[in-house]
Amino acid sequence: MLKLKNVSKYYYQDGVVAKGLSNVNLELHLGEFVVITGESGSGKSTLLNVLSGLDTYEDGEMYINGEETSHYTEEDYLNYRRNYVSNIFQNFNLVNSYTVFENIELAFLMNGYKRSDIKDKVNDLINKVGLKKYKNTHASKLSGGEKQRVAIARALANNTPIIVADEPTGSLDSIASQKVLDILHDISKEKLVIIVTHNKNEVLKYATRLIKMHDGRVLENKIIENINLDQNLKSIDVKDITWFNKIKLGFRNAFNLPIKFLLMVAIFLLIIVNLITNYGSFKKSEYEEVKGYSNIFNNISDKRIIINKKNKKSFDQNDYDKITNIKGIDYLVIDDVLNEYNLNLEGDYIYLNGNLYLKEINNVSKGKIPENDNEIVIIGNKENYYLKENELLNKEFIISDLNQKVKIVGLLYDDNYNEYNIDFFVNDELKNNILLNTMKYYNNITYQINNVTYYDLNVIPNSNVNKGEVYISEYVNNIFTNCLNKKLDIKIENIYYNENLSFNIKEIYDNNNIHKLLNIDEKENDFNIYINYEDYNNLFNKGNYQSSVFVKDIKDLENVISDLEKMDLNVLSLRNAKIDETEMISSLYNIFKLIVTIVLVVTMFFITYFIIRIIYKSRNSYYTTLRTLGSSKKVCISILMNELIILASFTYVLFIAFVILIKTNIINYEYFKNIIKYVYIKDYLIVYLILIIMAILISFRYGRKIFKDSVIKTYKETI
Ligand code: ADP
Ligand code: MG
């Protein structure tokens, strides 16, 4: 039983009060087919909306099964509608992008039915309203009469005791109207059907009660057939939509409107690409090699890290194996002093200067890989003047301080070099030779003859000299007088060890006998003294105390340093050891860049946020429909949230696939590849998190907006 007692409703608009209903008294029962007529503006819809809980009233009292409703909250009304009422609207209120099946299914889903239970019920209803062959047709493709039959089927889905229809035939022709009314009549036996019409003739044959409205009042309340089943309206059993079905609807809504789908993918893609490229470029500029110089080191590459053992012992193979296993290390230079060697080549009118290239090379751009000891390769930028002209290829040079002839047999182009810098790749033998000749410069050496200390001598290894012997020049012999067979002590000191060896002065050389004694063409320097190779190594080459590792990428620097430090090594990164006078300016510049990036990203976030909100305005009718089907605010929000999260994730997966294609070089896009090199998995996850947060924020805001007004107001705004 549904009863109104002196119910009045007012509309407030622009400060004016309009009367919707005044002092309406009515009592409606199960089994009735109530027809409400009256001219336009007489209050028919208002009465219907109050009866069906879509709108509130101000005065009087409405009783549901005898229970007062004036204290009802929004939630109470929601429950009343869900438990008792189904609505049919003049303009159908279907979801146009859904099929007939999906539209009817929606009513079941909103009331917590399980997937398996729904299918047969929906098919039964489709048959009942005679739309079997349109089952999979989109609602937008149907005629008005067919649409209204879908709406009726949907209203019947939940088997509520009250069916309310506001001008259901208002926009139908007479044949379609008749069909709709027949169905409504058919179902009215165990229900309370209330319909509003302006054409009472077409319904008169079914009506059991006729109500005529005028100016918000009930002018006539005529019982045509006395039906009083004398039963309470029986509330149906409703549950909330299952989480599975919420996700299912999220998927359906994400993909079923192609234009909205593409727009959303484009927008999410815009956000992702923007965030990633901004972040990546920022990181990249941070990692780019910093300028600077060093008074101590020759090779000042930012990728270089110098290491030695904290216990001052020499490295062994085990150490090197562990070091080379560290992730991010490109290569290891065991003999660190090679890094400090600056190779000078003198040739006809050309003078070249560069560092040793200490990585292996497998191919050259021009010429060939060295095979012999005296063959070398030059590495540098393609735009380098000498390399560009190829004029160096097959030219012979002399290594200044070794007095050794070499020939350039290959050129290797590398974009990482600037136009002026070059490196030299040499064979192991030459490398070793350089090592022997340079090592002594890292030691404090004192020479003693007859207990007199002398600093200016220069010890050189020579294979003609026997172990334990030393050859000195006639000049030195003259200074100390009669040195032959006397003792010469060499004492060396470096940061890792001290060594002291005693030699027997075996020969005195001069210009005449130097070739015979030492196989040297002519005397170079009076201060040169010659010892055996083994002795030389015993003095200067007692093991490796200091090495350098080079990282693959500057971004690996920090990780490699911390891994090395864990191995009980002293670690010096060249990047941090350089002197850089522009540091202050560049760090200010970096802060400025960071601020600009953040502002850009935040602006972007809000722009896209508002675009998405505008796109979702067009979804108001959909969510209002859900609301009329008994969906709470919470349910609406979570369905929208699912949809947005699915769209965001879909776009995100697309983007990640694109990143993988670029990283694996299947797509060749150098610019982007260079940027994403600096973006870690952690950063990708943060971007995803931002998308999800956006989806959640939008859903909540949207939900609040949709539920701000009563159903009927929102509904009116959307049509
Ligand atoms: P009917 O359905 O019989 O045409 P309504 O119930 O829609 O009539 O309207 C009854 C009266 O209430 C009319 O005077 C109408 O102008 C007024 N009215 C209806 N809805 C609103 C509203 N949302 N705001 C202000 N006035 C309204
Ligand atoms: Mg109306």
Side-chain angles (χ1 to χ4, degrees):
M1 179 202 66
L2 205 52
K3 185 174 161 189
L4 297 183
K5 195 174 156 198
N6 284 328
V7 167
S8 295
K9 170 164 183 67
Y10 310 96
Y11 288 109
Y12 305 92
Q13 202 175 31
D14 307 326
V16 181
V17 183
K19 219 165 208 171
L21 294 176
S22 49
N23 291 321
V24 173
N25 289 292
L26 268 182
E27 198 174 316
L28 307 173
H29 302 275
L30 205 62
E32 286 197 81
F33 192 104
V34 181
V35 173
I36 304 174
T37 63
E39 72 271 28
S40 182
S42 58
K44 307 185 292 293
S45 297
T46 308
L47 175 61
L48 217 52
N49 293 338
V50 167
L51 286 173
S52 57
L54 287 172
D55 223 342
T56 50
Y57 57 92
E58 273 79 36
D59 287 338
E61 189 64 82
M62 174 164 87
Y63 299 90
I64 301 161
N65 291 333
E67 189 198 339
E68 291 180 2
T69 62
S70 52
H71 61 276
Y72 265 26
T73 60
E74 176 63 28
E75 200 188 333
D76 293 328
Y77 273 115
L78 176 69
N79 285 331
Y80 164 60
R81 287 205 308 274
R82 291 185 73 184
N83 287 319
Y84 293 97
V85 190
S86 295
N87 287 85
I88 297 164
F89 300 90
Q90 178 177 358
N91 59 329
F92 328 121
N93 222 5
L94 298 181
V95 182
N96 279 328
S97 59
Y98 281 12
T99 63
V100 167
F101 184 94
E102 287 166 343
N103 264 289
I104 299 166
E105 182 194 30
L106 194 59
F108 286 106
L109 295 178
M110 296 323 293
N111 282 310
Y113 281 83
K114 294 217 185 61
R115 232 157 73 94
S116 48
D117 302 338
I118 293 175
K119 206 177 157 200
D120 289 342
K121 289 189 195 298
V122 175
N123 284 329
D124 285 349
L125 285 171
I126 290 176
N127 292 340
K128 193 166 187 169
V129 296
L131 288 174
K132 196 171 174 183
K133 69 176 175 182
Y134 295 115
K135 183 177 151 187
N136 293 317
T137 307
H138 283 267
S140 55
K141 298 258 162 61
L142 301 176
S143 71
E146 287 155 356
K147 280 183 183 168
Q148 199 57 293
R149 274 140 72 192
V150 176
I152 293 172
R154 189 181 63 183
L156 296 180
N158 290 315
N159 208 17
T160 53
I162 305 172
I163 305 273
V164 165
D166 194 350
E167 307 209 25
T169 59
S171 49
L172 307 182
D173 60 44
S174 60
I175 297 171
S177 297
Q178 213 47 61
K179 245 184 199 154
V180 165
L181 291 169
D182 283 347
I183 298 168
L184 283 174
H185 173 244
D186 206 36
I187 59 168
S188 68
K189 309 263 151 59
E190 315 97 46
K191 290 183 189 294
L192 168 58
V193 175
I194 311 168
I195 84 166
V196 163
T197 179
H198 53 264
N199 182 1
K200 71 174 180 190
N201 292 334
E202 64 181 17
V203 273
L204 225 43
K205 58 179 170 184
Y206 299 132
T208 63
R209 183 195 294 264
L210 194 65
I211 295 170
K212 201 165 172 200
M213 299 283 296
H214 177 75
D215 198 17
R217 293 168 191 280
V218 176
L219 209 63
E220 194 183 324
N221 180 3
K222 193 164 99 191
I223 294 170
I224 295 168
E225 188 182 336
N226 200 349
I227 293 177
N228 189 348
L229 297 182
D230 205 18
Q231 279 173 12
N232 268 345
L233 297 162
K234 208 165 160 273
S235 122
I236 57 158
D237 195 19
V238 289
K239 288 194 278 298
D240 265 342
I241 181 170
T242 62
W243 64 267
F244 179 87
N245 286 331
K246 274 192 233 172
I247 292 172
K248 177 181 161 149
L249 282 181
F251 263 101
R252 186 178 289 168
N253 298 343
F255 296 104
N256 78 345
L257 289 167
I259 290 176
K260 188 202 68 175
F261 167 74
L262 289 177
L263 259 166
M264 290 303 291
V265 168
I267 285 169
F268 278 127
L269 209 55
L270 193 79
I271 303 170
I272 301 171
V273 170
N274 198 301
L275 285 177
I276 295 280
T277 49
N278 260 312
Y279 182 77
S281 319
F282 180 74
K283 277 284 194 202
K284 184 169 177 262
S285 71
E286 219 184 21
Y287 280 126
E288 236 130 50
E289 296 221 0
V290 290
K291 293 181 199 79
Y293 65 90
S294 168
N295 293 325
I296 309 162
F297 302 104
N298 175 51
N299 182 348
I300 54 166
S301 164
D302 277 334
K303 294 179 178 171
R304 180 179 173 195
I305 303 168
I306 302 172
I307 46 172
N308 63 29
K309 290 172 86 159
K310 278 204 171 128
N311 60 13
K312 300 256 165 175
K313 295 249 167 63
S314 65
F315 286 112
D316 56 31
Q317 192 53 45
N318 188 28
D319 296 324
Y320 288 136
D321 288 346
K322 272 198 229 155
I323 290 165
T324 45
N325 271 334
I326 291 175
K327 218 179 130 228
I329 286 186
D330 189 11
Y331 61 100
L332 165 79
V333 177
I334 289 176
D335 302 300
D336 190 43
V337 294
L338 289 175
N339 281 307
E340 310 311 343
Y341 189 71
N342 201 269
L343 192 73
N344 292 311
L345 292 187
E346 284 172 36
D348 302 334
Y349 310 111
I350 301 179
Y351 177 84
L352 297 171
N353 175 296
N355 292 339
L356 286 177
Y357 186 84
L358 296 165
K359 214 171 149 176
E360 281 307 309
I361 61 172
N362 306 314
N363 61 305
V364 288
S365 312
K366 293 267 164 66
K368 58 166 192 168
I369 291 177
E371 286 150 12
N372 302 318
D373 185 24
N374 68 336
E375 295 181 338
I376 71 173
V377 166
I378 300 188
I379 300 110
N381 194 296
K382 205 189 266 178
E383 296 303 314
N384 182 299
Y385 173 75
Y386 293 113
L387 303 192
K388 194 162 61 181
E389 300 296 317
N390 283 338
E391 70 176 283
L392 294 178
L393 211 54
N394 296 320
K395 276 248 160 68
E396 293 203 331
F397 288 85
I398 287 175
I399 301 177
S400 311
D401 52 348
L402 295 185
N403 221 345
Q404 184 168 345
K405 260 192 198 147
V406 288
K407 185 174 161 188
I408 294 168
V409 296
L411 308 177
L412 176 59
Y413 299 138
D414 188 335
D415 290 340
N416 292 321
Y417 286 73
N418 65 32
E419 279 175 47
Y420 309 103
N421 276 0
I422 49 170
D423 280 352
F424 300 102
F425 176 80
V426 305
N427 266 343
D428 283 347
E429 215 170 318
L430 182 51
K431 218 186 279 174
N432 210 37
N433 201 359
I434 291 169
L435 191 63
L436 282 179
N437 272 283
T438 50
M439 268 185 315
K440 63 184 170 202
Y441 299 117
Y442 297 90
N443 290 277
N444 237 329
I445 314 176
T446 51
Y447 304 89
Q448 277 189 338
I449 301 176
N450 294 336
N451 290 325
V452 180
T453 303
Y454 207 74
Y455 293 98
D456 289 345
L457 298 178
N458 178 28
V459 62
I460 293 170
N462 189 294
S463 47
N464 282 17
V465 182
N466 287 326
K467 198 168 177 319
E469 297 171 350
V470 61
Y471 294 10
I472 64 171
S473 68
E474 199 186 4
Y475 179 81
V476 173
N477 186 43
N478 288 340
I479 294 172
F480 291 92
T481 60
N482 282 333
C483 291
L484 210 58
N485 287 322
K486 294 236 174 78
K487 258 180 51 181
L488 185 155
D489 291 331
I490 301 178
K491 201 194 275 180
I492 71 133
E493 234 179 68
N494 60 41
I495 57 172
Y496 300 109
Y497 62 88
N498 298 326
E499 185 61 274
N500 196 346
L501 286 183
S502 233
F503 295 88
N504 178 26
I505 300 172
K506 187 67 194 270
E507 298 281 358
I508 314 289
Y509 69 84
D510 58 26
N511 244 340
N512 300 323
N513 65 3
I514 191 165
H515 185 75
K516 199 178 123 223
L517 287 174
L518 294 161
N519 199 19
I520 293 170
D521 288 341
E522 79 187 69
K523 196 174 68 179
E524 285 165 7
N525 189 326
D526 278 326
F527 299 105
N528 285 357
I529 65 170
Y530 296 89
I531 63 171
N532 178 278
Y533 267 100
E534 202 181 321
D535 289 332
Y536 189 91
N537 276 322
N538 276 335
L539 284 173
F540 300 111
N541 196 11
K542 292 181 84 69
N544 265 298
Y545 293 85
Q546 185 173 306
S547 298
S548 271
V549 292
F550 289 77
V551 294
K552 283 200 193 86
D553 212 301
I554 309 282
K555 73 182 172 67
D556 302 325
L557 204 56
E558 264 164 54
N559 288 336
V560 171
I561 289 173
S562 95
D563 281 354
L564 287 168
E565 273 166 354
K566 277 182 210 137
M567 291 181 61
D568 236 9
L569 300 170
N570 290 312
V571 178
L572 178 75
S573 153
L574 258 286
R575 187 178 165 88
N576 305 325
K578 278 189 283 191
I579 303 162
D580 182 11
E581 267 123 22
T582 64
E583 198 168 21
M584 178 71 188
I585 295 165
S586 66
S587 73
L588 277 178
Y589 175 70
N590 266 349
I591 291 170
F592 176 72
K593 254 190 90 167
L594 181 68
I595 292 170
V596 169
T597 309
I598 289 173
V599 168
L600 225 121
V601 166
V602 171
T603 318
M604 238 263 326
F605 182 91
F606 281 106
I607 289 173
T608 46
Y609 180 84
F610 285 113
I611 294 175
I612 293 174
R613 277 185 52 196
I614 289 166
I615 293 176
Y616 274 82
K617 264 217 159 110
S618 68
R619 302 286 287 153
N620 283 7
S621 70
Y622 176 77
Y623 285 97
T624 310
T625 302
L626 289 193
R627 218 178 147 184
T628 60
L629 293 176
S631 156
S632 64
K633 183 163 149 185
K634 222 174 82 192
V635 169
C636 277
I637 288 173
S638 66
I639 289 173
L640 176 60
M641 200 184 292
N642 285 345
E643 174 183 341
L644 289 175
I645 288 174
I646 287 161
L647 279 167
S649 307
F650 177 87
T651 316
Y652 188 76
V653 169
L654 268 188
F655 177 78
I656 294 296
F658 179 65
V659 166
I660 290 170
L661 288 180
I662 283 178
K663 287 214 169 194
T664 51
N665 285 326
I666 294 171
I667 292 178
N668 194 358
Y669 189 12
E670 272 306 314
Y671 169 75
F672 198 65
K673 194 177 171 185
N674 261 325
I675 287 176
I676 55 175
K677 211 159 70 175
Y678 301 94
V679 183
Y680 302 148
I681 292 191
K682 180 189 84 204
D683 307 323
Y684 285 109
L685 290 179
I686 290 174
V687 169
Y688 185 63
L689 206 71
I690 290 176
L691 294 186
I692 299 300
I693 289 171
M694 230 168 138
I696 292 171
L697 280 180
I698 291 167
S699 314
F700 273 97
R701 275 210 67 129
Y702 185 81
R704 233 180 299 144
K705 240 194 90 203
I706 277 279
F707 276 79
K708 205 175 71 199
D709 296 318
S710 70
V711 186
I712 216 66
K713 186 142 186 251
T714 324
Y715 176 58
K716 272 187 178 145
E717 275 168 10
T718 60
I719 56 178

